[in-house]
Amino acid sequence: MGMQQGSRQPDPARPVVAFDFDGTLTVRDSFTAFLRRRAGKRGWARGLVRLSPVIAAYARERDRGRLKAASVREFLVGVPREVLESEAEAFAAHVWDSFMRPDALAAWDDWGRRSALRVIVTASPETTVAPFARRLNAEMLLGTQLVFDGQDRVTGAFATPNCRGEEKVRRLHAVFGPDLRLTAAYGDTSGDREMLQIADQPGFRVFTGRP
């Protein structure tokens, strides 16, 4: 499959269509579900207790980036890249049939038949979304990037800002140039607003199907 993580120049003749991932292509947040599954019930409960100050701060400040960073530090620090990638692959296979919105998949496939360059633009880590992107035959994936240390283990830091809001547009511009106009874009939260604003066909919460 030809998915790239922002590493090649696209064909300018192809329409570019951007899809948010969590809540748009899926019925719920994939990263939370992934962390919960790998931690197990007891590990998840213990982790939430330790994260309670950050969760309380999120309720006041709505800083999703801070909450995500804290979750990575709590649940993933020290995990080798190859282990994380393998677990992400198994997770995608396990949840696919209960996770993906059928009407979103229909739109995704329709754009594919129209030779669109389909880009997943997500706040979730690229590492955990990549198996889904491969199953979708996505042409490109732009997400929040984890930092790995010299031993190729998760450090708990991010290599990029949390990929939501203006950051989604910045990442798209970095790949496609500052004059990019999306043919279509789909999202479901305020974090997708800026991306939808640069689309000729903005779709906000248009997918409601459930598996």
Side-chain angles (χ1 to χ4, degrees), residues 48-63 66-67:
L48 289 183
V49 170
R50 287 192 288 265
L51 286 171
S52 56
V54 180
I55 294 171
Y58 172 73
R60 296 189 304 270
E61 303 162 7
R62 312 306 289 181
D63 186 341
R66 182 183 175 197
L67 180 59

Side-chain angles (χ1 to χ4, degrees), residues 136-208:
L136 288 164
N137 288 319
E139 282 74 31
M140 193 170 293
L141 168 63
L142 300 173
T144 304
Q145 296 176 349
L146 300 175
V147 172
F148 295 86
D149 64 17
Q151 284 72 50
D152 222 17
R153 296 174 181 268
V154 177
T155 69
F158 292 140
T160 59
N162 191 34
C163 191
R164 72 185 307 273
E166 293 181 2
E167 180 65 13
K168 289 198 173 191
V169 174
R170 191 194 72 77
R171 294 288 299 281
L172 285 164
H173 282 168
V175 175
F176 297 101
D179 298 325
L180 171 68
R181 187 73 189 172
L182 296 168
T183 299
Y186 302 96
D188 73 309
T189 70
S190 61
D192 301 309
R193 183 180 63 240
E194 290 86 349
M195 183 172 75
L196 296 176
Q197 287 173 345
I198 63 168
D200 293 332
Q201 299 176 42
F204 183 69
R205 295 185 180 173
V206 295
F207 304 130
T208 58

Side-chain angles (χ1 to χ4, degrees), residues 75-91:
F75 293 107
L76 294 181
V77 163
V79 177
R81 187 197 303 262
E82 64 179 23
V83 172
L84 183 61
E85 290 177 346
S86 175
E87 290 179 345
E89 189 71 50
F91 171 74

Side-chain angles (χ1 to χ4, degrees), residues 6 11 15 31 36-37 42 48 71-72 80 95 106 115-116 121 127 129 136 139 147 151 161 165 173 175 194 199 205:
D11 179 353
F31 190 49
R36 187 169 189 159
R37 183 168 186 261
R42 290 184 179 179
L48 289 183
S71 298
V72 170
V95 303
S115 299
V121 190
T127 307
V129 177
L136 288 164
E139 282 74 31
V147 172
Q151 284 72 50
H173 282 168
V175 175
E194 290 86 349
R205 295 185 180 173

Side-chain angles (χ1 to χ4, degrees), residues 1 7 12 21 27 35 60 62 72 78 87-88 108 118 133 135 145 156-157 168 177 180 194 210:
M1 101 91 176
S7 61
F21 186 66
V27 295
L35 293 178
R60 296 189 304 270
R62 312 306 289 181
V72 170
E87 290 179 345
W108 178 274
R118 298 164 299 178
R135 283 170 170 259
Q145 296 176 349
K168 289 198 173 191
L180 171 68
E194 290 86 349
R210 301 189 72 83

